[in-house]
Amino acid sequence: MSYESNPILDKLPKHLKQFIKPQNYEEYTAIDQAVWRYVMRKNVDYLSKVAHKSYVDGLKKTGISIDHIPNMYGMNRILKEIGWAAVAVDGFIPPSAFMEFQAYNVLVIASDIRQLENIEYTPAPDIIHEGAGHAPIIANPEYAEYLRRFGEIGCKAISSAKDYELYNAVRHLSIIKEAHGTPQNEIDEAEKQIEHLQENMGEPSEMALIRNLHWWTVEYGLIGTVDNPKIYGAGLLSSIGESSWCMTDKVKKIPYSIEAAHTEFDITKPQPQLFVTPDFAFLSQVLEDFANTMAVRTGELSGIKKLIASKALGTIELSTGLQISGEFSNVIENEGKPIYIQTTGGTALAYREKELVGHGTDHHAEGFGTPIGKLKGINIAIENMGPRDLKAYKIYEGEQIALEFEGGVKVEGTIITGTRNLMGEIILITFENCTVTHGDKVLFQPEWGLYHMAVGQKIVSAYNGPADLNSFNLISHQITETTIRPKKNEERLQLERFYEQIRHFREGKNTTISRNKVFQALIKDHPQDWLLPVELYELAKQDNNQEFQQEILAHLENIKRDNPKVGHLIDDGIALVDTALVS
């Protein structure tokens, strides 16, 4: 196994476990640890004033250290106390899988960490974003339940074929943007591709809409009042740039509502507006309002059409509780209602999320088709007929019968048997020598074998994924592109060694290292590195070595002059040291 399990992770279905990868803690370099420490010190200092109080409380509860990148095993031991767990994954995973992990109370953490060059913000999910952003807030029980419920509803959202294209494009951009030395023209091209896809998405799918809700709450949410908001969204909590930018008047604050589902976002740019929820309970209220618009609750013709457009595995549930899972390819409609549905390829039938015996994908390998609705000229639906009604209408074993449905679908054949649900209602009728037609079109003919007709006067639910997870082989995720590891030259390895020496000195593992020698070597071989000089300044300040402090400050002024973009990062680092030692 690539991870250490626990009772929460044991409950994960196999198809989610395929995304989990080992954290490989030993691969974090001393530069990575310094990046974590800088961001966390700056964040905790600033966020303690502007974040929701659950953030600082949650840092303590989840055991996230300011000085060390969290170890997933250690995090899990603590998260277990609040009923959650965490797993490592490689960057972005498909949105439905991400949501489903949340439904199982599992936090998905991209275990990579941003490069020093992207210390303020990275479009790639990383351990700063996930570990320092998401984990502390879930210590709040109201918010944790919102996150779990969001996952439960979100993983049922139906995607469109274009959503999958966009997901792959965003994943590609996040990988190349975080990869050392990617040519700018390649990044520009990837950003243009995302822009092109976003402009040509057509009618937004349920997944696109609920992903917007996720973005404006879980990632970029504010809480409180429009005039005095606090931060709770993980994207803001983990971005030292945007957490301060979002508090200015340059970012518009809007009261949170279901309108957020129809507000697009651009992952590559700072957000021009943010939504403010009055409290965490209100998030759940809006989520339920949105869920009421989804096919999982509305079903009917629009639900089946969404599934056909998705070109992916989905499920419809009929009014009898019979569930049909497969790739839906066609629907015949009449007067705004579905009267016949068809799947292509392996299809499974289930009741209450459990596959019906003899009705798996092997049995329905070529697809499944069935009429929906009531019989023509008969007021009572088949599912509501008692034994006497069924006998009266000759819906009975051994009878040769012709059933004509409203809308014109005809089923003619000999009934072999019926399958009933727990309530005693017939949910499936099996025919031999059966012909199914709609007008001149033949939908099923006798030589194809037995015909299984689903019973249900309407579709009550339609959603992404199968009814019974065991009906399909879902272990099919192919990551076409993985996070790019930089090839390290001797210069980079030397810089990592310097960071490690200073880290060991600070932690008392080796106090014989000459900090001055390290500093002189930095000036000579790595004149543009700014973070290690800031750490050296901290140590010089602790020792009250004023001469060394001045020497370091003079060098940092040179870096600021040569590279103004890092000026504010240096100033913030110095201010953090000065403030910490004064207090």
Side-chain angles (χ1 to χ4, degrees):
M1 279 174 71
S2 60
Y3 62 95
E4 189 179 294
S5 200
N6 62 39
I8 293 165
L9 297 182
D10 287 341
K11 289 176 184 169
L12 285 175
K14 286 178 190 171
H15 74 278
L16 288 182
K17 290 179 181 178
Q18 69 185 313
F19 295 102
I20 302 173
K21 67 163 213 162
Q23 185 184 18
N24 297 332
Y25 195 87
E26 67 287 347
E27 287 182 11
Y28 295 121
T29 68
I31 297 176
D32 295 333
Q33 295 284 2
V35 165
W36 170 271
R37 186 169 181 265
Y38 177 92
V39 173
M40 287 303 292
R41 289 178 79 207
K42 183 157 169 39
N43 273 4
V44 172
D45 175 67
Y46 175 66
L47 293 171
S48 58
K49 305 176 192 88
V50 299
H52 187 267
K53 63 183 179 62
S54 295
Y55 175 75
V56 177
D57 295 347
L59 278 174
K60 293 171 193 156
K61 278 184 189 169
T62 50
I64 292 170
S65 159
I66 289 173
D67 288 320
H68 302 269
I69 294 170
N71 186 310
M72 217 70 78
Y73 303 142
M75 257 181 92
N76 270 329
R77 280 196 292 275
I78 296 159
L79 285 173
K80 191 171 66 175
E81 301 303 312
I82 56 173
W84 279 72
V87 293
V89 297
D90 182 28
F92 283 112
I93 63 171
S96 58
F98 180 87
M99 304 263 189
E100 201 175 349
F101 269 111
Q102 278 182 200
Y104 284 93
N105 281 24
V106 175
L107 207 55
V108 172
I109 294 185
S111 57
D112 295 304
I113 188 165
R114 64 194 66 178
Q115 294 177 67
L116 177 52
E117 293 81 0
N118 296 335
I119 195 166
E120 284 193 280
Y121 171 79
T122 172
D126 78 333
I127 197 159
I128 292 177
H129 171 78
E130 315 282 4
H134 285 294
I137 293 288
I138 61 166
N140 179 297
E142 183 89 55
Y143 181 74
E145 174 53 20
Y146 168 70
L147 209 58
R148 185 201 68 76
R149 185 80 177 130
F150 199 107
E152 196 170 52
I153 292 168
C155 71
K156 300 294 186 191
I158 301 168
S159 297
S160 72
K162 286 188 176 179
D163 287 334
Y164 299 112
E165 254 190 281
L166 184 60
Y167 157 70
N168 284 319
V170 168
R171 181 177 165 82
H172 171 67
L173 174 67
S174 72
I175 288 171
I176 63 170
K177 221 170 181 183
E178 194 55 34
H180 197 69
T182 304
Q184 188 58 43
N185 67 319
E186 204 179 313
I187 291 170
D188 293 344
E189 207 175 297
E191 286 183 344
K192 270 186 201 156
Q193 171 66 1
I194 289 174
E195 217 171 284
H196 171 73
L197 286 170
Q198 284 176 330
E199 285 168 4
N200 295 279
M201 292 298 285
E203 186 72 23
S205 67
E206 288 182 350
M207 182 54 84
L209 294 174
I210 204 165
R211 203 168 55 230
N212 287 345
L213 278 188
H214 194 269
W215 181 265
W216 297 122
T217 60
V218 176
E219 296 295 354
Y220 277 79
L222 297 175
I223 188 167
T225 63
V226 167
D227 298 325
N228 183 28
K230 298 288 185 187
I231 296 171
Y232 74 91
L236 295 172
L237 292 173
S238 60
S239 170
I240 56 181
E242 240 179 316
S243 57
S244 53
W245 161 257
C246 79
M247 285 295 164
T248 68
D249 293 339
K250 290 170 186 169
V251 177
K252 190 179 177 187
K253 317 295 190 301
I254 305 166
Y256 181 59
S257 72
I258 201 165
E259 269 311 299
H262 300 276
T263 307
E264 297 293 326
F265 60 88
D266 185 342
I267 196 169
T268 65
K269 297 182 178 81
Q271 306 310 311
Q273 90 280 307
L274 295 172
F275 290 90
V276 187
T277 182
D279 48 44
F280 288 139
F282 188 67
L283 295 179
S284 297
Q285 186 182 318
V286 172
L287 177 63
E288 289 301 320
D289 289 345
F290 179 78
N292 287 337
T293 70
M294 289 171 61
V296 69
R297 292 190 183 173
T298 60
E300 292 296 8
L301 182 62
S302 64
I304 189 74
K305 282 186 169 177
K306 286 177 183 177
L307 283 178
I308 291 168
S310 76
K311 296 181 181 172
L313 174 61
T315 297
I316 62 165
E317 183 172 324
L318 304 182
S319 41
T320 51
L322 180 72
Q323 295 159 318
I324 303 163
S325 300
E327 190 176 317
F328 290 85
S329 54
N330 192 31
V331 60
I332 301 173
E333 58 183 282
N334 181 61
E335 295 179 355
K337 291 182 179 177
I339 58 168
Y340 194 89
I341 58 97
Q342 180 69 52
T343 65
T344 301
T347 304
L349 309 183
Y351 180 73
R352 292 192 175 174
E353 286 73 52
K354 191 173 179 188
E355 187 181 292
L356 296 180
V357 176
H359 290 284
T361 54
D362 289 348
H363 194 88
H364 301 289
E366 302 299 317
F368 180 84
T370 188
I372 307 285
K374 290 168 74 176
L375 294 171
K376 192 174 180 182
I378 299 174
N379 283 332
I380 189 167
I382 295 175
E383 64 208 67
N384 297 327
M385 290 181 181
R388 286 189 184 86
D389 300 314
L390 289 166
K391 200 157 192 179
Y393 290 113
K394 296 193 172 182
I395 303 172
Y396 209 74
E397 284 87 342
E399 291 281 359
Q400 189 167 345
I401 191 169
L403 301 174
E404 186 175 354
F405 286 80
E406 291 176 348
V409 175
K410 287 182 183 172
V411 179
E412 298 172 83
T414 304
I415 296 176
I416 300 176
T417 187
T419 305
R420 295 177 183 273
N421 66 15
L422 289 172
M423 308 307 290
E425 300 163 335
I426 288 193
I427 58 174
L428 199 66
I429 298 173
T430 301
F431 296 80
E432 63 182 357
N433 300 320
C434 188
T435 303
V436 183
T437 55
H438 179 249
D440 297 334
K441 190 172 183 183
V442 176
L443 302 170
F444 191 90
Q445 42 202 29
E447 50 268 36
W448 294 355
L450 297 179
Y451 180 68
H452 304 279
M453 185 186 84
V455 176
Q457 62 177 312
K458 61 181 186 176
I459 297 170
V460 296
S461 182
Y463 55 87
N464 169 66
D468 185 337
L469 293 173
N470 297 313
S471 293
F472 295 82
N473 174 21
L474 301 174
I475 318 291
S476 57
H477 180 63
Q478 295 293 320
I479 293 181
T480 52
E481 196 174 14
T482 56
T483 303
I484 300 163
R485 305 276 172 214
K487 286 179 183 160
K488 297 177 185 177
N489 56 21
E490 185 47 47
E491 186 186 352
R492 178 72 179 186
L493 292 168
Q494 183 197 48
L495 184 61
E496 285 179 6
R497 284 195 292 273
F498 289 153
Y499 270 85
E500 189 168 29
Q501 286 172 344
I502 298 308
R503 185 174 180 80
H504 285 170
F505 183 92
R506 190 178 64 249
E507 292 176 349
K509 289 178 185 172
N510 185 354
T511 51
T512 62
I513 292 155
S514 168
R515 287 166 288 161
N516 214 295
K517 275 186 185 170
V518 170
F519 180 60
Q520 297 309 323
L522 261 184
I523 295 173
K524 177 173 166 286
D525 298 328
H526 308 277
Q528 291 307 306
D529 182 78
W530 63 270
L531 184 53
L532 193 53
V534 168
E535 295 214 330
L536 285 164
Y537 174 76
E538 182 186 1
L539 295 172
K541 189 99 176 172
Q542 284 170 358
D543 288 353
N544 203 21
N545 185 338
Q546 292 189 5
E547 190 182 332
F548 194 20
Q549 286 173 51
Q550 292 311 312
E551 206 179 335
I552 294 166
L553 289 174
H555 174 59
L556 286 169
E557 283 301 319
N558 290 337
I559 295 174
K560 280 161 66 177
R561 189 187 63 238
D562 296 340
N563 187 5
K565 282 203 293 191
V566 299
H568 65 290
L569 295 169
I570 292 169
D571 291 343
D572 289 351
I574 296 300
L576 271 173
V577 171
D578 291 345
T579 310
L581 290 168
V582 167
S583 57

